[in-house]
Amino acid sequence: MRTGAGVVTERTALGDPGSYTHAVRLLERQDELDALHQALQGAATGHGTGIALTGESGAGKSALVDAVLDTGSGLRLLRAHCDPLSTPRPLGPFRDLAADGALPPLRSGEGVLLAEVCEQVYEALRTEPTVLVVEDLHWADAATTEVLGFVARRVEAMPLVLLVSYRDTEIGPRHPARSLLGDFARREGLRTLPLAPLSAAGVADLVEGTGLDAVRVHELTGGNPFFVTEVAKEPELPLPTSVRDAVLARTAEVDGADFEVLQLVATAPDRLDDRVLPALGVDLPTLRRVDRTALLVRTTGGLVFRHELARQSIESTIPPGGGPGLHARLLDALEQLEPRDPAVLTHHAVGARDATRAARYAREAADEAIRAGAHSEAAAFLEIALDHLDGAGAAERAALLLDLAYQQYMTSRLGVAIANTRATFPLWEEAGDRAGLSAAHTAVSMYEYYSARRRQAEAHADQAAEIAAGADTPLLYAQARAARAYLAYMRSDPALAQDYLDQAAAVAAREHDGALALRSRLFSAINALAVGTGDARTRLVAETEEARSTGHDELASTGYSNIAYLDVEQGRLRSAERTLETSLPFAAERDIPICRHWQTAVRSRLNLAQGHWSAALEDAGTVLDSDGMPLATLWPLLITGLVPLRRGEQVDTTYLDAAWALADRIDEPVRRLAVLSAVAEWCWTTGQPDARVCEPPVADLLGSPDDPTAIWAAGNLALWLRRLGRLDQVPDGVRVAAAEPHRLALEGRAAEAAAWWNLAGDPFAEAMALADSPDPEDALRAVRQLDRLGAVGTADRLRGDLRGRGIGTVPQRPRTSTLANPAGLTNRQLDVARLVARGHSNAEIGARLFISPKTVEHHVSAVLTKCGLPSRRAIVVQASELGFD
């Protein structure tokens, strides 16, 4: 066990962890101690808490954990560290706990999903009151953070204290732990405790009785508890100028051979495995001598430095050129052990500058990471393998690059995925491998499309098919055609899409390829749903569920993504809500961030339509602030511009302009029409013209009325153009082809259109349909409904129109203090409100959402306040009106 600083520690000889005795005196940590003790008490009664301890190296994070755990809480104690390897082992802390018997053995091997590991750890932790400590989160791999996030989101409903520690200066924006730390900052039941340096008074307390000048020590150490403690242990020596000097002072009497043992331990940052000591010539007398330095401790399975700062200090003494020899000694010894850990072997092979073994072990480590769902680590290991692939042929290097690109795509690094896939083209040509070249073009076509470069995507898919046809590889030809069909569907060309899918399905049947047949059927159902074929949605749901049940997770998530997207596009808002309740957790559990990014964008649009504008902005911000597919950002950009416009706030047109540029790049009718509608709404609301909608001929703006995939978007734009006075006479083709609610409105049947939107659950569209009515009473109803939604900017525009028509009974703008604000609900408050509306108790809601009943009650209270409702019963009664049903 590594101990931290801010303590005075007495130790016995090296041995088992149980042989240590600690006389611990924590300084200036009472508030943190109280918070941790309160968490322990809560876990003992079944109420879980998650706490993140953060501070610089030496701030005393481990010492604080030691002090709390030494109190003997009676809870089961599980403690592990993340690996300080250059590329960590996937699931390292949980694998160590399983190896020690603290957790059941983790399932592993082909076909085992990260979601299953999450469930396994969750089940093991919820059975009895437990403290789970995972230290050094700054070294964590992505799979470990996924498991910790899974547990953290459920911690309130578990008898658990989840305690993690990290150095905040070592976790950047792309670090795999960033999302987890965001949860600790935002979610109920989770909190972050920063550990500040010791004050001057604290340093004086720690060096009391040593004869040291406390003011000078505080100036020198900056209050770092570990540094102060090291200085206080050797008060007779001159004051060191750094932690390194303080540590090395402890080794002054160590001879060269024993110092080399310390350097060997420093070269193995995870631990020096006990089993390799004989092979390294490290005997018991040697261990006794190095133990006198008080720098090392023993953990289960090996030796480590008492503190990372101490390890770094010894490591810094290794002379130039000396590191490879130490790593080679360790590598040779570790290769004799079974089972061998490819991640650790990779670390030492790289350090030993042994390219052959580095490439081999990095590939093995990548395969292991992929099986664990740790795509970031898989990509890192594949990069190591590529860097050390000396003497490899062009085809081998190309295949490795293609594998790397796929892992980068899975982790939403589309730019480098495209670059690496393109880099394989000349290699496949050099190797004369036309099949590999076709597969690479098919892969990059989708990466390019998700990057909002449709034309390049189509060119790659067409080229893949041409190459495959020339190479007489029918399956690769069919895969290229299936990819091209998906692009044609998105381009609103359903006939071409179906033609390509028919070709792919024929090959799949002839070659007996079940996976390709499933993909063809699923894409065909998506295409049919886009054009409104009657049973298409039922077919698409069935194919999606088959993909899920047969382990085709990315395909299943693609199915869910398109069901939800088309449901929102075509006004099936409640159906979209149900789909997203299933699909978002699925994408998270199966570690498919690309699909999760898209589905969050769809949910932002759904929330906008349902009048849940704070939730819409919350989701839009998540999409815009995170890495993912640029294609998914169009609606979040529009939402970020439209919500302030409707609320009557200052509007930043930057977002609408960015959406316009993105739609121009994608060049697809549905997306261009959506942006045109947003620009037209801005013109109508502000009264300011915009050449993009005020100058081109209406026919050019609306596009072809024969396009069945774009009739919803075209109908919406037609209504905004009519409000702008640009569509006095609706073309027959537009009116006939329009979707039902738009057709009703264009035919002047405003009340019927409003009723349609009311049933669909879109209160803003309902209000605007009423506003289009020539009946003043309908228009007044529209103003009142918009005010209730918080759309006072839109309502103010209507108020001006009504007064201009001579109507003197126009409602005044409501005061902010008296305005109920159902549009201000967050996503979590919406989740709670929907379950209340379905009749669930607080305990049942807590069990569904993995939060405590007390937290549920807090959310219910917020819902009642924001919606201006008197009781839970009122939520049930007005569920449909508020969009909770």
Side-chain angles (χ1 to χ4, degrees):
M1 172 184 307
R2 292 172 181 159
T3 62
V7 299
V8 179
T9 306
E10 298 173 0
R11 302 173 58 256
T12 63
L14 267 173
D16 292 331
S19 68
Y20 296 115
T21 58
H22 296 279
V24 178
R25 181 161 58 95
L26 283 175
L27 299 172
E28 301 183 341
R29 298 289 186 253
Q30 191 58 50
D31 290 344
E32 293 84 355
L33 277 170
D34 290 345
L36 291 172
H37 283 302
Q38 185 178 0
L40 294 178
Q41 294 167 6
T45 61
H47 183 76
T49 305
I51 296 178
L53 297 175
T54 179
E56 65 177 347
S57 186
K61 300 181 290 293
S62 295
L64 186 60
V65 173
D66 290 340
V68 172
L69 299 187
D70 285 348
T71 60
S73 63
L75 279 64
R76 175 178 55 164
L77 304 179
L78 306 179
R79 190 173 189 178
H81 293 79
C82 298
D83 293 331
L85 301 173
S86 54
T87 301
R89 297 172 300 150
L91 297 171
F94 296 104
R95 289 168 59 184
D96 290 342
L97 289 170
D100 294 342
L103 288 176
L106 297 181
R107 291 186 290 272
S108 60
E110 294 289 344
V112 175
L113 301 168
L114 181 59
E116 296 177 36
V117 177
C118 291
E119 291 286 357
Q120 183 183 358
V121 172
Y122 170 64
E123 289 298 326
L125 295 176
R126 66 193 293 261
T127 56
E128 63 177 289
T130 301
V131 181
L132 171 62
V133 181
V134 178
E135 298 187 70
D136 301 322
L137 197 63
H138 46 276
W139 289 324
D141 62 284
T144 292
T145 62
E146 284 290 333
V147 175
L148 288 172
F150 187 88
V151 172
R153 290 188 291 273
R154 292 155 175 77
V155 72
E156 277 195 277
M158 303 168 65
L160 176 70
V161 178
L162 174 61
L163 190 56
V164 300
S165 68
Y166 66 98
R167 304 176 201 156
D168 52 359
T169 58
E170 297 187 27
I171 295 186
R174 288 194 59 86
H175 193 284
R178 177 51 55 198
S179 177
L180 174 63
L181 296 180
D183 286 342
F184 272 92
R186 296 187 302 268
R187 288 183 175 270
E188 300 90 359
L190 303 175
R191 62 181 301 193
T192 301
L193 295 179
L195 303 186
L198 296 176
S199 67
V203 171
D205 194 5
L206 192 56
V207 302
E208 184 179 4
T210 64
L212 292 168
D213 182 345
V215 174
R216 178 74 181 113
V217 171
H218 183 261
E219 292 175 351
L220 178 70
T221 64
N224 182 284
F226 175 80
F227 196 177
V228 176
T229 302
E230 292 301 302
V231 170
K233 287 177 181 177
E234 305 286 352
E236 69 281 357
L237 296 178
L239 285 177
T241 59
S242 68
V243 172
R244 180 180 186 272
D245 292 338
V247 170
L248 293 182
R250 311 275 291 280
T251 66
E253 299 181 4
V254 176
D255 66 23
D258 291 346
F259 194 80
E260 186 171 323
V261 172
L262 290 173
Q263 291 175 325
L264 272 171
V265 180
T267 306
D270 55 331
R271 62 180 174 272
L272 183 62
D273 196 303
D274 286 342
R275 297 172 295 168
V276 303
L277 294 178
L280 295 170
V282 180
D283 57 15
L284 186 59
T286 303
L287 290 173
R288 286 175 177 151
R289 290 192 300 272
V290 297
D291 183 48
R292 297 190 189 111
T293 66
L295 293 176
L296 300 181
V297 294
R298 184 183 183 281
T299 64
T300 302
L303 302 179
V304 297
F305 277 85
R306 181 171 60 84
H307 199 282
E308 175 63 11
L309 287 174
R311 189 197 70 79
Q312 292 174 358
S313 298
I314 298 299
E315 186 180 39
S316 71
T317 67
I318 299 173
L326 294 172
H327 280 289
R329 287 179 62 190
L330 288 169
L331 180 60
D332 291 341
L334 288 167
E335 283 184 325
Q336 301 174 30
L337 304 181
E338 290 293 344
R340 298 191 296 187
D341 191 321
V344 175
L345 294 174
T346 300
H347 175 83
H348 291 299
V350 171
R353 300 176 186 172
D354 187 326
T356 300
R357 288 193 284 184
R360 181 171 77 250
Y361 290 130
R363 285 180 173 181
E364 292 179 13
D367 289 341
E368 189 174 86
I370 291 168
R371 288 194 296 271
H375 299 291
S376 295
E377 279 63 51
F381 283 123
L382 289 172
E383 286 174 340
I384 292 172
L386 275 167
D387 290 342
H388 295 82
L389 204 61
D390 291 344
E396 183 181 2
R397 182 171 292 276
L400 198 55
L401 267 171
L402 201 58
D403 289 343
L404 171 60
Y406 180 75
Q407 297 304 315
Q408 291 166 331
Y409 152 71
M410 288 292 286
T411 53
S412 295
R413 297 167 62 192
L414 287 172
V416 289
I418 291 170
N420 281 325
T421 306
R422 286 177 172 274
T424 71
F425 295 167
L427 295 173
W428 294 121
E429 294 278 11
E430 179 184 342
D433 190 332
R434 306 298 288 171
L437 183 59
S438 173
H441 277 288
T442 297
V444 82
S445 70
M446 299 313 299
Y447 307 160
E448 290 279 15
Y449 181 67
Y450 293 143
S451 297
R453 291 190 286 268
R454 181 190 55 78
R455 296 181 185 86
Q456 293 91 324
E458 290 177 349
H460 282 294
D462 288 338
Q463 194 168 357
E466 181 181 344
I467 293 169
D472 194 23
T473 51
L475 278 176
L476 288 173
Y477 175 83
Q479 289 166 3
R481 279 303 184 223
R484 185 64 177 84
Y486 190 76
L487 299 176
Y489 142 69
M490 290 299 236
R491 180 67 178 85
S492 299
D493 193 343
L496 182 62
Q498 195 55 54
D499 180 38
Y500 288 147
L501 289 170
D502 290 342
Q503 294 178 42
V507 172
R510 189 168 61 248
E511 301 292 329
H512 305 289
D513 191 306
L516 178 59
L518 175 59
R519 181 175 295 271
S520 300
R521 293 196 307 271
L522 188 141
F523 283 5
S524 181
I526 292 173
N527 193 47
L529 182 58
V531 300
T533 302
D535 66 341
R537 193 177 190 280
T538 301
R539 286 167 45 206
L540 179 53
V541 170
E543 301 297 354
T544 299
E545 292 303 318
E546 181 176 344
R548 178 172 181 165
S549 65
T550 54
H552 295 88
D553 291 335
E554 187 181 11
L555 184 60
S557 198
T558 299
Y560 283 134
S561 294
N562 282 276
I563 294 169
Y565 159 67
L566 290 170
D567 278 347
V568 177
E569 177 71 21
Q570 298 174 357
R572 294 183 296 272
L573 304 184
R574 291 178 177 84
S575 295
E577 182 181 302
R578 299 292 192 273
T579 300
L580 290 167
E581 286 176 358
T582 299
S583 66
L584 277 166
F586 178 79
E589 291 164 6
R590 296 302 195 263
D591 193 25
I592 312 173
I594 282 286
C595 290
R596 182 170 56 188
H597 193 252
W598 171 266
Q599 291 168 17
T600 303
V602 173
R603 192 175 68 173
S604 71
R605 185 182 176 191
L606 171 65
N607 280 325
L608 178 77
Q610 292 179 319
H612 305 310
W613 291 349
S614 291
L617 289 172
E618 181 184 329
D619 281 337
T622 297
V623 172
L624 296 176
D625 292 342
S626 59
D627 292 327
M629 58 171 82
L631 183 74
T633 63
L634 187 133
W635 267 102
L637 287 168
L638 293 179
I639 287 163
T640 308
L642 286 177
V643 170
L645 177 74
R646 295 178 182 181
R647 285 176 168 171
E649 301 167 356
Q650 185 171 355
V651 179
D652 184 353
T653 58
T654 302
Y655 293 103
L656 296 183
D657 292 339
W660 176 269
L662 181 61
D664 189 59
R665 201 166 84 214
I666 301 169
D667 190 24
E668 292 176 348
V670 172
R671 303 184 204 290
R672 186 177 297 279
L673 289 166
V675 180
L676 285 168
S677 292
V679 174
E681 180 177 350
W682 181 86
C683 293
W684 178 85
T685 306
T686 63
Q688 300 179 35
D690 189 300
R692 289 172 290 191
V693 295
C694 294
E695 293 180 3
V698 168
D700 291 348
L701 292 172
L702 292 176
S704 171
D706 298 326
D707 181 359
T709 63
I711 61 172
W712 287 82
N716 188 49
L717 176 59
L719 290 172
W720 283 109
L721 291 176
R722 190 171 70 173
R723 291 169 190 141
L724 281 174
R726 296 221 61 208
L727 200 64
D728 294 330
Q729 186 68 36
V730 181
D732 289 338
V734 171
R735 184 170 60 249
V736 172
E740 183 178 2
H742 302 135
R743 178 176 53 79
L744 292 171
L746 291 170
E747 291 175 353
R749 297 155 67 182
E752 293 176 69
W756 196 100
W757 287 117
N758 177 270
L759 289 173
D762 187 332
F764 184 81
E766 177 189 358
M768 293 310 298
L770 290 171
D772 292 336
S773 171
D775 185 340
E777 288 302 316
D778 285 340
L780 291 171
R781 282 175 55 203
V783 170
R784 288 190 288 268
Q785 178 151 322
L786 290 167
D787 283 340
R788 285 195 300 271
L789 276 173
V792 292
T794 308
D796 283 349
R797 172 68 168 82
L798 283 179
R799 273 185 263 270
D801 282 353
L802 290 170
R803 292 187 181 113
R805 290 163 57 182
I807 299 172
T809 58
V810 179
Q812 294 295 315
R813 191 182 203 189
R815 296 179 181 177
T816 303
S817 60
T818 62
L819 186 64
N821 186 25
L825 297 179
T826 65
N827 277 299
R828 179 44 64 94
Q829 289 163 356
L830 282 170
D831 291 339
V832 170
R834 287 169 180 143
L835 291 173
V836 170
R838 295 171 195 172
H840 293 288
S841 67
N842 284 359
E844 291 169 335
I845 295 171
R848 289 278 296 272
L849 300 180
F850 303 103
I851 57 179
S852 69
K854 182 178 180 181
T855 300
V856 174
E857 185 56 40
H858 168 75
H859 286 310
V860 171
S861 177
V863 170
L864 295 175
T865 299
K866 289 184 177 182
C867 294
L869 299 175
S871 66
R872 294 171 69 101
R873 184 178 294 110
I875 295 177
V876 177
V877 172
Q878 299 188 47
S880 179
E881 179 183 342
L882 295 168
F884 300 155
D885 57 346

